[in-house]
Amino acid sequence: MAGTVKDNIIYNQLGLLGGLGVCAVGIAAEISTGQFTSLDYNDYYSSAPTGSNYIGKIAGTNYATLASWQAATTQEANSLNIVPNFISATDLHLAAGTNCGLDGYGTPITGITTDYDIQTRDATTPDMGADDFTATYSGTRTGVEGSAVCDNQT
């Protein structure tokens, strides 16, 4: 059975657990890329404190970068490798002032019109992940037309 993986934020910080395992992986196919019908509009980020960090794994091969994962799957053209900033470890809402790189980068999915708070998702440019949010911008870069600056940038 093959699956579709779209509009997700997959953030892995676990790493080795008690010295067991090898690495942190964002997404894995144990057999082949045939396990996925469609992959796109996802944000993958692995930042384990111990062991190696990989975007993905297919069978026994690990892929450390988004570019290598995209080449291996021949998919994920619109996916990202950006650290998501959540409110806290227990509040998985995206912080509006520090996630401009994820704001509006998802794709509409038929039948999914609300986020996990039952807030209406943007019908044309939803956000990646389960929380649809509105990023806050502090202005624009001097001399660069159309360059909105997120609150945590200068």
Side-chain angles (χ1 to χ4, degrees):
M1 180 175 207
T4 295
V5 181
K6 285 190 176 180
D7 269 351
N8 292 284
I9 295 174
I10 301 172
Y11 185 20
N12 188 341
Q13 292 182 292
L14 293 177
L16 300 177
L17 181 59
L20 300 175
V22 178
C23 59
V25 175
I27 184 170
E30 290 301 316
I31 300 168
S32 73
T33 58
Q35 291 176 259
F36 302 115
T37 304
S38 180
L39 299 165
D40 208 1
Y41 294 94
N42 298 299
D43 179 36
Y44 299 106
Y45 198 83
S46 292
S47 66
T50 57
S52 301
N53 291 289
Y54 299 108
I55 297 294
K57 178 180 179 178
I58 300 170
T61 305
N62 294 311
Y63 299 93
T65 66
L66 180 58
S68 65
W69 175 250
Q70 289 167 321
T73 63
T74 67
Q75 298 187 66
E76 303 274 24
N78 298 291
S79 291
L80 303 171
N81 178 220
I82 297 173
V83 61
N85 294 297
F86 299 104
I87 298 297
S88 72
T90 57
D91 182 351
L92 298 180
H93 288 91
L94 292 163
T98 57
N99 283 296
C100 296
L102 298 173
D103 186 32
Y105 282 92
T107 190
I109 297 175
T110 303
I112 300 176
T113 58
T114 59
D115 71 0
Y116 77 118
D117 291 319
I118 316 299
Q119 295 172 329
T120 302
R121 291 181 68 84
D122 189 293
T124 55
T125 55
D127 300 322
M128 291 180 174
D131 181 31
D132 211 70
F133 72 103
T134 301
T136 55
Y137 296 92
S138 58
T140 58
R141 293 183 194 262
T142 304
V144 182
E145 188 176 333
S147 61
V149 178
C150 199
D151 283 353
N152 68 326
Q153 305 295 313
T154 57

